Amino acid sequence: MSEQEQAEIRLEFARLKQEHADFDAAINAMIATGCDPLQIQRMKKKKLVIKDRLTHLEDRVIPDIIA
C-alpha cells in the first residue's frame, strides 16, 4: 500500500472517528431529553455502521501479525 493510500485511509478514519463521537453526543442528548426511542435506536444503528467502517479501515492500515 502506498503512502498516499495510507494517508487517505487515515484521513477517512479521522473523519469517521469524529462522526462517531458526534453521533454519541447526539444520542446522549436525545436520551437526556426523552426523545422517541425509535429515533434513538436508529441513531445507534448508524453509529454502529460507522464503528464497523472504522474497524475495517483500521484493519487495512494495521496488518495482522501472526505470532
Side-chain angles (χ1 to χ4, degrees):
M1 181 180 302
S2 72
E3 288 293 322
Q4 183 178 356
E5 288 174 328
Q6 283 187 357
E8 289 172 2
I9 290 172
R10 287 192 172 112
L11 184 63
E12 177 73 4
F13 184 85
R15 186 189 66 76
L16 286 172
K17 189 122 176 128
Q18 181 61 50
E19 190 174 343
H20 186 267
D22 292 345
F23 267 98
D24 195 38
I27 289 168
N28 288 334
M30 290 170 75
I31 291 170
T33 60
C35 197
D36 179 31
L38 185 58
Q39 282 185 312
I40 294 170
Q41 191 63 30
R42 287 179 182 152
M43 293 286 281
K44 286 182 177 182
K45 284 185 180 185
K46 289 178 183 180
K47 182 181 159 189
L48 184 59
V49 168
I50 293 170
K51 181 69 173 176
D52 289 343
R53 180 77 176 134
L54 283 168
T55 302
H56 175 74
L57 289 174
E58 193 172 52
D59 288 345
R60 286 184 61 198
V61 173
I62 303 171
D64 291 334
I65 299 174
I66 299 173

